[in-house]
Amino acid sequence: MESFLKLIHQITKYGSEPVADPNKLASLKKSLGDVYALYLNLNSNFDEQLYEEVQRLDYAEVYAYVKVNFPEFGWYRSSTISFKTDQDPELLEEDAIDDLTDLIIDLSEVAWRLKNTSLNDGLWYFNTLMKIHSEAHLINLIRYLKAFENQ
């Protein structure tokens, strides 16, 4: 559990303080890949005990720190995937700062649960949040970082 909390912190720190690291982009990309690998290999069990609700982080505050830490991040275009070859995909405008902000907020909730409830509760929430929300942001952000490297 301690190594998972440390991995989470490697990402969430960008939403709570200015980080002076010349290798931020590479470090973030590696941490995102590690979180994704953990998610893909996770088996979690629902903890049926009731716990107090987590106090979620303030979106605007986290967004502001991410913007300070990654001033080079911005809007980008992506597209939907169409499984019909005669149908054009829909173009979307996305925000890399928002992607990282949402990931930080979700991972902070997971960290809180791991520290304050139980291992099963924290892992179940990690699995659930990834499945319904964070996975898309994580994949988009990894793709964005790859494209950013190649520009």
Side-chain angles (χ1 to χ4, degrees):
M1 180 173 77
E2 287 304 316
S3 60
F4 186 33
L5 286 169
K6 185 177 176 185
L7 175 59
I8 288 172
H9 179 70
Q10 291 302 311
I11 297 169
T12 60
K13 67 183 178 186
Y14 298 116
S16 61
E17 62 188 350
V19 176
D21 176 1
N23 299 314
K24 277 192 275 205
L25 293 174
S27 176
L28 176 61
K29 185 178 172 187
K30 181 186 178 328
S31 295
L32 293 171
D34 290 346
V35 164
Y36 198 47
L38 194 130
Y39 165 67
L40 293 174
N41 292 294
L42 179 69
N43 291 317
S44 63
N45 297 311
F46 182 68
D47 183 341
E48 297 195 27
Q49 185 163 342
L50 294 176
Y51 297 104
E52 84 179 78
E53 280 303 306
V54 64
Q55 180 81 28
R56 294 199 39 103
L57 297 178
D58 180 70
Y59 178 89
E61 186 177 323
V62 175
Y63 190 95
Y65 275 112
V66 171
K67 195 171 184 176
V68 164
N69 282 312
F70 297 99
E72 62 273 67
F73 280 14
W75 292 91
Y76 63 95
R77 287 202 162 195
S78 67
S79 65
T80 58
I81 295 176
S82 174
F83 295 101
K84 298 178 182 176
T85 56
D86 62 340
Q87 185 179 33
D88 289 332
E90 180 183 348
L91 287 179
L92 307 169
E93 283 195 22
E94 313 234 28
D95 179 5
I97 299 171
D98 173 74
D99 287 333
L100 185 51
T101 297
D102 280 356
L103 277 167
I104 287 169
I105 291 170
D106 285 354
L107 289 173
S108 293
E109 177 174 345
V110 170
W112 185 90
R113 289 181 179 284
L114 288 169
K115 293 175 190 173
N116 295 289
T117 61
S118 72
L119 179 61
N120 280 342
D121 186 57
L123 294 178
W124 185 86
Y125 268 90
F126 171 65
N127 189 50
T128 301
L129 288 170
M130 285 293 288
K131 190 174 295 187
I132 65 173
H133 183 244
S134 300
E135 183 178 22
H137 287 294
L138 188 143
I139 291 169
N140 287 347
L141 194 50
I142 289 173
R143 290 183 66 222
Y144 179 82
L145 290 169
K146 179 62 181 164
F148 201 81
E149 287 174 358
N150 294 334
Q151 69 169 346

